[in-house]
Amino acid sequence: PRNPDRFVELAESICYQQLAGRAAAAIWGRVVTLFPGGITPESVAAMPDERLRAAGLSGAKLASIKDLAAKVLDGTVPLDRIARLTDAAVIERLSVVRGIGNWTAEMFLIFTLRRLDVWPVDDYGVRAGWALIKTRTEPPRPRDLEPEGDPFRPYRTVVAWYCWRAVHLSRGQP
């Protein structure tokens, strides 16, 4: 089960970026133990950088998580009311945080806010799954995949889930 706290979800997403799942899980596990009272923007802002680095966070990930905490605390990223914003506004707000781009914001929309009309064309799994479903040899480029989602509005997230599932099944994964 995933943590329902939006700040924790985003911090964890930053930790996992561009790392193998097991390595990221190990680092994140060490980060979590630094916060016996829970991971909050306040506790992250107060945590000495050296302790977070010792837990395994790279300098870039540390800077990103600290920036997220600062921007939540100053109201730039209004996590308490972000669910009321449009998808585009959520992406715009989250993208001002160092280390959060379109992909992370779209995953937040899908998995945390449970939005049903997100079409994450930059996600390789979605592109690879689309190629499998359409029996193509190569995944489409993001710009080519973008219009392919239009017929599925307002449920493009569901199509993305099918794409991810197609990749898992092609690998013999349950």
Side-chain angles (χ1 to χ4, degrees):
R2 298 192 51 92
N3 188 314
D5 183 275
R6 293 170 180 165
F7 178 77
V8 174
E9 287 280 339
L10 286 167
E12 184 178 9
S13 293
I14 290 167
C15 179
Y16 272 73
Q17 289 172 351
Q18 299 176 343
L19 288 178
R22 284 187 179 165
I27 293 167
W28 184 248
R30 290 191 297 270
V31 168
V32 169
T33 63
L34 294 175
F35 300 94
I39 299 173
T40 65
E42 295 82 5
S43 66
V44 167
M47 180 64 61
D49 291 359
E50 305 78 44
R51 294 196 60 203
L52 290 165
R53 291 279 293 165
L57 287 179
S58 68
K61 289 181 191 301
L62 168 65
S64 294
I65 291 172
K66 287 276 190 161
D67 190 47
L68 172 64
K71 286 189 167 80
V72 169
L73 290 170
D74 75 12
T76 302
V77 176
L79 290 180
D80 57 334
R81 62 185 189 283
I82 202 161
R84 296 184 212 142
L85 301 178
T86 65
D87 292 354
V90 170
I91 291 169
E92 181 182 319
R93 289 296 183 103
L94 292 180
S95 294
V96 301
V97 176
R98 175 189 172 127
I100 294 182
N102 261 17
W103 183 85
T104 302
E106 288 171 342
M107 296 304 111
F108 181 80
L109 283 167
I110 291 170
F111 295 106
T112 302
L113 298 183
R114 307 278 192 222
R115 298 287 174 88
L116 288 175
D117 194 33
V118 180
W119 188 226
V121 297
D122 292 319
D123 185 88
Y124 184 78
V126 169
R127 294 191 343 257
W130 187 263
L132 287 166
I133 292 165
K134 295 294 186 171
T135 62
R136 296 181 184 161
T137 56
E138 294 292 321
R141 294 177 297 197
R143 71 172 183 239
D144 296 330
L145 183 57
E146 184 69 44
E148 298 285 339
D150 290 344
F152 303 100
R153 288 179 187 271
Y155 301 107
R156 293 176 300 167
T157 298
V158 176
V159 178
W161 290 331
Y162 276 100
C163 291
W164 287 319
R165 187 72 182 130
V167 171
H168 285 278
L169 291 173
S170 76
R171 295 177 180 165
Q173 298 171 334

